[in-house]
Amino acid sequence: MKALLLNTLLGLGLGRFGSIWLATVFVPIVAAEVSYGVYVYQLSLGACLRRGVTLLLCVELAFLLGALMRPMRDET
């Protein structure tokens, strides 16, 4: 649960204030979270894949939501 919240907040922040090129940051972050799960909880390969896909999907959707929350050019 903490990883999902972290990824959601990170995605919202980078989507709102960053460019699309910052979305490449998510892959190593998700890989580190999955490797932490393997090391601490001894997850199987299937569990690692499910966890990785879930975390990556969560952060990408949050990034898109953050990009939609950007102000329009005429509004500022």
Side-chain angles (χ1 to χ4, degrees), residues 14-20 63 65-73 75:
L14 287 179
R16 173 89 163 90
F17 301 111
S19 68
I20 189 66
F63 184 83
L65 182 63
L68 287 173
M69 292 181 355
R70 290 182 186 165
M72 300 295 283
R73 294 177 198 258
E75 290 179 359

Side-chain angles (χ1 to χ4, degrees), residues 47-76:
C48 288
L49 289 176
R50 286 191 303 270
R51 184 177 174 99
V53 168
T54 302
L55 292 173
L56 198 57
L57 184 65
C58 175
V59 76
E60 291 296 330
L61 290 175
F63 184 83
L64 290 175
L65 182 63
L68 287 173
M69 292 181 355
R70 290 182 186 165
M72 300 295 283
R73 294 177 198 258
D74 297 335
E75 290 179 359
T76 56

Side-chain angles (χ1 to χ4, degrees), residues 18-57:
S19 68
I20 189 66
W21 295 108
L22 288 176
T24 58
V25 171
F26 302 140
V27 176
I29 291 173
V30 168
E33 290 171 341
V34 170
S35 64
Y36 173 78
V38 169
Y39 181 72
V40 172
Y41 302 113
Q42 288 85 28
L43 297 178
S44 65
L45 179 63
C48 288
L49 289 176
R50 286 191 303 270
R51 184 177 174 99
V53 168
T54 302
L55 292 173
L56 198 57
L57 184 65

